[in-house]
Amino acid sequence: SQQGEEDPQALSIQEGENATMNCSYKTSINNLQWYRQNSGRGLVHLILIRSNEREKHSGRLRVTLDTSKKSSSLLITASRAADTASYFCATGNSGYSTLTFGKGTMLLVSP
Amino acid sequence: GAGVSQSPSNKVTEKGKDVELRCDPISGHTALYWYRQSLGQGLEFLIYFQGNSAPDKSGLPSDRFSAERTGGSVSTLTIQRTQQEDSAVYLCASSLGGAGDPSETQYFGPGTRLLVL
């Protein structure tokens, strides 16, 4: 399985602090994506990083990918209460029918 | 345009009954996916449709689960003789799929929360 595994399982921080979540996976990938889920409902795509990229930014989000270590990190800077959600990494490989999701990191940002 | 929609939002049923869950993908998206998410867990892949190709049913947990996609658009997931362990949120997603790469960005619906009593 190429399932991603997020670390930590839960993270609690204060508004304004940075939040870092990590993802590890097992096999080679074409890309790695991060999604956010509020209140156990649909997932929202945040960012996609391809296997030949090392870092990508989108607003307050910064994603890194280290294919040699089969790991990725998601950094949310200057967090807000509205960032409270579960964050999932998902790995993509054209040899599989779909993305493979990890179990997620639950982020709580307190005002 | 409109995003992925799913109905019903919530479904409560009795053990042994059949249920049908519906997904309307984004117009023009050729790829459609069903996932299941149990409380506090990640997403479990169920089935994948790509255009007119035979669906990938490798994730369906038992023969009580089936899905179809009519006219390459709307999809229905059917669970027969529901069991309490079927209780979960069922999520549908679609993607362009045009490039034949199933690992591209997926757009999710809000999900159907199923409770089997």
Side-chain angles (χ1 to χ4, degrees), chain B residues 15-117:
Chain B
K15 178 181 173 182
K17 296 285 181 68
D18 297 351
V19 296
E20 284 190 353
L21 312 179
R22 177 188 169 104
C23 172
D24 279 277
I26 293 173
S27 178
H29 280 193
T30 62
L32 186 147
Y33 313 81
W34 282 98
Y35 296 90
R36 178 170 70 175
Q37 185 179 30
S38 301
L39 187 63
Q41 298 297 308
L43 274 67
E44 175 188 4
F45 165 71
L46 297 178
I47 189 168
Y48 160 59
F49 295 89
Q50 172 59 62
N52 295 321
S53 302
D56 178 351
K57 305 178 181 180
S58 60
L60 295 178
S62 77
D63 58 7
R64 295 187 296 105
F65 288 73
S66 63
E68 61 177 23
R69 189 178 184 192
T70 54
S73 181
V74 172
S75 177
T76 302
L77 176 69
T78 301
I79 309 174
Q80 296 178 310
R81 304 181 303 281
T82 53
Q83 304 293 314
Q84 289 181 333
E85 60 263 29
D86 298 334
S87 296
V89 176
Y90 289 82
L91 292 162
C92 174
S94 71
S95 66
L96 278 171
D101 180 359
S103 64
E104 64 188 280
T105 298
Q106 296 182 12
Y107 298 84
F108 283 80
T112 293
R113 182 166 284 130
L114 174 66
L115 177 61
V116 182
L117 300 177

Side-chain angles (χ1 to χ4, degrees), chain A:
Chain A
S1 167
Q2 61 170 16
Q3 183 178 25
E5 294 185 4
E6 291 88 347
D7 169 59
Q9 288 187 324
L11 180 61
S12 181
I13 59 175
Q14 299 291 122
E15 263 190 325
E17 295 180 338
N18 295 341
T20 299
M21 288 160 270
N22 303 297
C23 171
S24 60
Y25 57 92
K26 297 179 180 177
T27 63
S28 62
I29 60 172
N30 286 352
N31 66 65
L32 187 143
Q33 305 178 34
W34 286 90
Y35 288 79
R36 185 179 78 185
Q37 183 180 40
N38 289 84
S39 304
R41 287 297 192 176
L43 279 70
V44 175
H45 178 257
L46 295 176
I47 196 165
L48 180 154
I49 187 166
R50 301 201 181 275
S51 59
N52 60 352
E53 298 176 307
R54 291 297 168 257
E55 187 171 312
K56 205 162 184 179
H57 296 254
S58 177
R60 293 184 295 112
L61 305 180
R62 172 179 169 246
V63 170
T64 62
L65 179 64
D66 187 335
T67 53
S68 66
K69 295 182 180 178
K70 292 186 170 59
S71 67
S72 172
S73 67
L74 171 67
L75 169 67
I76 304 174
T77 60
S79 63
R80 306 166 182 169
D83 295 328
T84 294
S86 291
Y87 291 82
F88 293 85
C89 69
T91 51
N93 186 308
S94 57
Y96 293 87
S97 293
T98 186
L99 299 173
T100 305
F101 288 82
K103 293 186 177 181
T105 291
M106 190 176 301
L107 173 66
L108 174 63
V109 182
S110 301

